[in-house]
Amino acid sequence: MTAPTNKAKDPDLSPVDFIQLQQYMDYSRVRVKDVIKEFHAGGRFVQHRFGERIDATGFGLFLNAYLEADDFPADLCQRLFWYFQNGVGSSPVFTDASLLRSTTSTGWSWTRSDTAVTQVNRQGDFCLSGGVYLKEVSCYFSVLEEGLPRDKLEFTFKLYDKDGNGLLDSSEVDRIITQMMRAADYLGWDVTELRPVLKDMMKAIDTDGNGTVTLQEWIQGGMNNVPLLVLLGLEMSERDGQHVWRMKHFSKPVFCSVCRSMLLGVRKQGLCCVLCRYTAHSRCANKNPDPCIRTFVMSNRLIGVTAHGWVSADCDSSKCHFCNKKIKTLAGKRCVWCQQTRHDDCVNFGSSSCDCGSLRDHILPPWAIYSMSKDDKCIENITPDGHVLQIAPVPGTHPLLVFVNPKSGGKQGERVLRKFQYLLNPRQVYNLSNGGPGPGLNLFRNLRDYKILVCGGDGTVGWVLDAIDKADLPVHPPVAVLPLGTGNDLARCLRWGGGYDGTDLEEFLKEVQESSLVPMDRWKVQVIPEDPREIGDPVPYEIINNYFSIGVDASIAHRFHSMREKCPQKFNSRIKNKLWYLEFATSETISASCKKLKECLSIECCGRALDLSSHSLEGLAVINIPSMHGGSNLWGEAKKEDRDGVPAEPPEVITEQNLLKISSQDLSDKRIEVVGLEGAVEMGQIYSGLKSAGLRLAQTSEITIRTNKALPMQIDGEPWMQPPCTIHITHKNQANMLKAAPARPSGIFHHK
């Protein structure tokens, strides 16, 4: 790109810049408040601060530390610096470029004087000068990062309360608003409507009209301002019947349910409730909109009393279920449970009983969840506003407990979470980032007939299965999978497909209803170091659901994992991940780091030693399911005509080749398969279908592996480097899984 000069320049960032920055932020675990400390006395970056500003080098160090990225693009850093330099309170100081020419191998250098800092590109052209305010940068990023709105409000207040007297004047408040507006612009909001809303809030919170705002006034005003709460990232309601708003772009004409006028704009025009789809202007969300749906009942008398959940909706010329006439714009309501639509005037006519429509088998309706006395048991099931919840069974249904990993599949997890919160009762849909599976399992503990849906990758499924074991539930519910990860091997062999492609989730829920129960073996793995003083990487799991491997494939996975930990923003899509995997597989083929693996380990299956002397192996896989590395079946298929000689009850261990070649895999047979791999090329041949399988070595109920050197290993896709050790793998238990029905020829959802 052409380096900026001291001529006038538009400080706005492009959509591409925003997307690139968001990719870095999605993987950052550092908080703004921790980075700020480094610019104070005793911090690592204090030399780059002068007064309230930081110089350009300090700005780059701030980004590197906050985003955990040593390779943050220099050109994006430059544009961000310019962006903040042209913000409120900034007054760039320009100096003579001819006096500051210098070059570096990276293309940029920074020269600092007492009053200014100047960036010079490798050609020596003048680019930028003047520092940026640390407060502006910190406020901007704190609004965007994850966290509770109340905590963000308190942080921004204290950030600008320079003298610590607990007061902000109007100019300081205006600077906070400016950074919030910038954050809103970054998020794609139509900020022309937001600015007056925030201005009105500032006037309202200065209750005594003295021109200053206290911390209490600031937090109270902010927590009562809907658009600001949405901007600060409020993701759940504080009380039942409260909307969970989200700023949204509408691709077709939509009307505000409060003022009844159209939502206008070219970006995100207004607010939409995630739970009930109620829509409103930003300015109207504070004007007493209709309440959101009720998710539970307050009295035992209402348990089992079915009732529609009507909300104002754009019924889009659909017909009224009572009078069968078309519903005009802004003249109808929709039931969030059964999806019936009626005219406003027809709501009180016809049946008031709701059957929950086509998803009745999955929905946990509000009349099945009731508020208990706080003196009763199960106080863990408490809502933010203090209600202790309990579930009453609904005869003839199988309510679905949904766990979603929002970080799986890029942004897919977040979209799936919102969609299920709308399709089902939000009380049965859990964000795994907020406390893991425990809260959901505890709420459903007393039910005897329910199902679980895990939305995520294989690692997420394993997390939930472990939680089910540890929860000591009266029954172990069957588990279905919506694949959002990269490999999704478990989902593949259970016919849920290799990855969610955006298909209608209502159709997917129907497939869950038609699925069948399949017990799946789970295996305990114990790793005992030969020398306890020799410290290696931590073993990622104690349970094997999919596979365990040593050698070539684990080496590729370890390289992939190490690079992803270092530069997570480079691994933000399935396509990119597969390209990286291909690159590491190619380099492993050239280096052959696991050559002569048989000299580095020994294997016993139920006490019987395996003879590896006649095989040239670079990898060893112990597999529980017929899918590995995104669809590779290393064991291969046994021909039906060859399986006549298979004993009805297979022995504890099979090592004879004539029996192995006719033995098939079974998720429920309490046997695990051992396969040898000749190298990365063979793995690629199996994946592409050029070769049917690896080398079958054994089928066993127990296996012991001893190694005499450090080797790469992996369990269910999580790799580590392990010093010499002994590994015991034994059967642990069986998990109840749901297997989808075979796909119809015309189906497009599954990739079998």
Side-chain angles (χ1 to χ4, degrees), residues 617-636:
L617 302 178
E618 291 187 25
L620 179 77
V622 181
I623 51 181
N624 184 48
I625 62 174
S627 182
M628 186 173 175
H629 306 314
S632 299
N633 186 348
L634 300 188
W635 186 255

Side-chain angles (χ1 to χ4, degrees), residues 501-526:
D501 58 4
T503 305
D504 186 1
L505 289 179
E506 290 189 60
E507 293 300 317
F508 177 81
L509 289 177
K510 292 177 182 178
E511 295 190 31
V512 173
Q513 186 174 349
E514 297 170 359
S515 61
S516 57
L517 178 65
V518 176
M520 182 187 75
D521 294 324
R522 302 178 73 226
W523 300 81
K524 179 180 178 181
V525 58
Q526 185 180 15

Side-chain angles (χ1 to χ4, degrees), residues 405-625:
N405 186 343
K407 297 187 182 298
S408 293
K411 294 292 183 181
Q412 275 191 321
E414 295 178 5
R415 292 191 291 268
V416 165
L417 175 66
R418 291 193 295 267
K419 183 67 173 179
F420 277 129
Q421 287 175 327
Y422 170 69
L423 290 174
L424 307 172
N425 190 328
R427 297 288 174 191
Q428 62 187 112
V429 182
Y430 285 81
N431 181 339
L432 286 171
S433 297
N434 299 331
L441 293 174
N442 192 61
L443 179 62
F444 275 65
R445 171 177 292 275
N446 293 330
L447 286 185
R448 292 295 184 272
D449 200 359
Y450 68 100
K451 300 175 182 177
I452 289 177
L453 172 63
V454 180
C455 307
D458 289 344
T460 305
V461 178
W463 181 13
V464 173
L465 293 179
D466 286 346
I468 292 173
D469 283 346
K470 295 174 182 176
D472 192 26
L473 301 173
V475 297
H476 280 202
V479 178
V481 182
L482 179 68
L484 299 180
T486 302
N488 302 310
D489 290 294
L490 183 55
R492 290 174 190 271
C493 68
L494 292 173
R495 295 203 191 109
W496 296 117
Y500 174 61
D501 58 4
T503 305
D504 186 1
L505 289 179
E506 290 189 60
E507 293 300 317
F508 177 81
L509 289 177
K510 292 177 182 178
E511 295 190 31
V512 173
Q513 186 174 349
E514 297 170 359
S515 61
S516 57
L517 178 65
V518 176
M520 182 187 75
D521 294 324
R522 302 178 73 226
W523 300 81
K524 179 180 178 181
V525 58
Q526 185 180 15
V527 180
I528 305 171
E530 184 178 292
D531 183 356
R533 296 169 298 179
E534 191 171 0
I535 301 175
D537 299 333
V539 179
Y541 302 127
E542 297 178 352
I543 303 296
I544 299 172
N545 294 309
N546 298 1
Y547 57 84
F548 165 85
S549 68
I550 302 176
V552 56
D553 68 309
S555 177
I556 297 169
H558 190 260
R559 295 185 189 188
F560 178 92
H561 181 78
S562 299
M563 178 61 77
R564 185 168 59 180
E565 286 287 305
K566 183 179 179 182
C567 306
Q569 70 284 350
K570 295 182 179 180
F571 297 80
N572 52 19
S573 72
R574 289 195 187 101
I575 295 177
K576 285 185 180 180
N577 291 350
K578 290 180 178 180
L579 291 174
W580 276 108
Y581 203 90
L582 177 61
E583 179 177 327
F584 292 130
T586 302
S587 62
E588 174 62 32
T589 302
I590 297 172
S591 64
S593 63
C594 299
K595 195 175 182 180
K596 299 181 180 179
L597 183 67
K598 63 184 179 184
E599 299 176 5
C600 306
L601 54 78
S602 62
I603 306 173
E604 291 182 5
C605 296
C606 296
R608 184 187 303 180
L610 283 186
D611 182 10
L612 303 177
S613 59
S614 60
H615 307 299
S616 178
L617 302 178
E618 291 187 25
L620 179 77
V622 181
I623 51 181
N624 184 48
I625 62 174

Side-chain angles (χ1 to χ4, degrees), residues 111-167:
T111 305
R112 179 180 173 185
S113 67
D114 291 338
T115 58
V117 61
T118 299
Q119 184 191 40
V120 185
N121 68 5
R122 62 165 58 97
Q123 286 79 27
D125 296 326
F126 172 78
C127 297
L128 293 173
S129 65
V132 294
Y133 283 89
L134 180 60
K135 289 180 181 179
E136 316 292 356
V137 177
S138 302
C139 182
Y140 178 87
F141 283 108
S142 69
V143 171
L144 295 173
E145 70 184 9
E146 293 182 355
L148 297 175
R150 184 180 297 273
D151 295 338
K152 293 183 182 182
L153 287 167
E154 183 175 353
F155 174 76
T156 55
F157 185 95
K158 292 181 177 179
L159 188 67
Y160 282 85
D161 183 16
K162 184 177 180 180
D163 54 10
N165 66 351
L167 294 173

Side-chain angles (χ1 to χ4, degrees), residues 633 635-643 646 660-665 696:
N633 186 348
W635 186 255
E637 298 290 342
K639 296 180 180 180
K640 292 183 179 180
E641 59 269 22
D642 294 337
R643 294 175 59 187
V646 178
L660 287 175
K661 70 179 183 179
I662 60 174
S663 298
S664 61
Q665 275 188 290
R696 297 185 181 186

Side-chain angles (χ1 to χ4, degrees), residues 274-400:
V274 172
L275 310 183
C276 69
R277 301 286 173 86
Y278 189 92
T279 57
H281 290 104
S282 297
R283 64 177 182 269
C284 295
N286 293 325
K287 299 178 181 179
N288 297 320
D290 293 341
C292 189
I293 56 171
R294 295 290 179 178
T295 59
F296 63 92
V297 294
M298 300 291 293
S299 170
N300 290 2
R301 294 183 294 103
L302 298 176
I303 298 174
V305 180
T306 63
H308 290 292
W310 298 112
V311 295
S312 296
D314 181 1
C315 297
D316 196 23
S317 299
S318 50
K319 288 187 177 181
C320 174
H321 279 73
F322 177 72
C323 68
N324 208 34
K325 296 179 181 179
K326 283 191 176 182
I327 303 174
K328 296 180 180 179
T329 302
L330 300 175
K333 284 184 168 58
R334 176 179 45 79
C335 175
V336 295
W337 308 119
C338 67
Q339 303 303 315
Q340 271 194 30
T341 55
R342 293 187 192 177
H343 289 102
D344 290 337
D345 296 336
C346 295
V347 164
N348 295 324
F349 298 97
S351 174
S352 62
S353 178
C354 178
D355 65 359
C356 291
S358 61
L359 298 180
R360 65 176 62 90
D361 190 59
H362 296 307
I363 291 177
L364 186 65
W367 52 86
I369 309 175
Y370 60 96
S371 178
M372 302 163 45
S373 167
K374 291 185 180 179
D375 295 331
D376 292 335
K377 57 183 180 179
C378 296
I379 60 172
E380 298 92 343
N381 303 329
I382 192 166
T383 65
D385 55 344
H387 293 284
V388 181
L389 301 182
Q390 182 64 282
I391 297 178
V394 180
T397 67
H398 309 82
L400 195 64

